[in-house]
Amino acid sequence: MTVRIYHNPRCSKSRQTLKLIEDNNASAEIVEYLKTPPDAKTLGKLLDMLGLQPRDLMRKKETEYKESGADNPDLSRDQLIALMIEYPKLIERPIVVNNGKAVIGRPPERVLDIL
């Protein structure tokens, strides 16, 4: 079984989630999303799988949230997705995908629901 994780190796929750995946005998396809952000189609699909709107997947305490204008309530779904691609630090982490299901690994144990 291969599980995809949108991962930030500097984030402790992301590292803990990756360890849980590996401890459950799953191989992980690691996508370092800060280096390689998902494209608009992929991000839209992830949002649908998570059942979230773009702003729900954003890290609102990041400096980039306000600086990028992501705090503007008039922005459309497509505009918010574009901002997450341009400023990938805005994307909540880690996102784990397996067998057509996705979860955010906060807390890391949530990943167990889809393994």
Side-chain angles (χ1 to χ4, degrees), residues 8-24:
N8 178 350
R10 295 184 61 185
C11 170
S12 64
K13 297 293 183 202
S14 199
R15 290 192 308 269
Q16 291 168 13
T17 301
L18 179 58
K19 184 171 182 345
L20 270 176
I21 292 168
E22 292 168 343
D23 288 350
N24 280 274

Side-chain angles (χ1 to χ4, degrees), residues 19-115:
K19 184 171 182 345
L20 270 176
I21 292 168
E22 292 168 343
D23 288 350
N24 280 274
N25 299 317
S27 59
E29 175 190 346
I30 299 169
V31 177
E32 288 191 36
Y33 70 94
L34 292 176
K35 293 179 182 177
T36 311
D39 61 23
K41 182 177 178 182
T42 302
L43 200 47
K45 186 174 179 180
L46 288 170
L47 286 164
D48 291 343
M49 291 169 73
L50 291 164
L52 298 176
Q53 294 302 313
R55 207 175 300 281
D56 300 327
L57 190 60
M58 289 183 157
R59 298 176 57 84
K60 295 173 187 75
K61 293 182 181 175
E62 292 290 340
T63 305
E64 288 84 354
Y65 184 73
K66 191 169 185 174
E67 287 179 356
S68 70
D71 59 342
N72 179 344
D74 296 327
L75 294 178
S76 70
R77 174 183 169 98
D78 289 344
Q79 289 171 314
L80 290 168
I81 288 172
L83 284 173
M84 286 192 279
I85 294 166
E86 185 175 350
Y87 302 95
K89 280 180 80 175
L90 293 176
I91 302 171
E92 186 59 83
R93 61 184 180 258
I95 302 170
V96 179
V97 179
N98 188 37
N99 291 326
K101 297 179 182 175
V103 296
I104 298 172
R106 288 184 175 272
E109 294 77 19
R110 290 189 66 204
V111 72
L112 298 174
D113 295 340
I114 64 169
L115 292 182

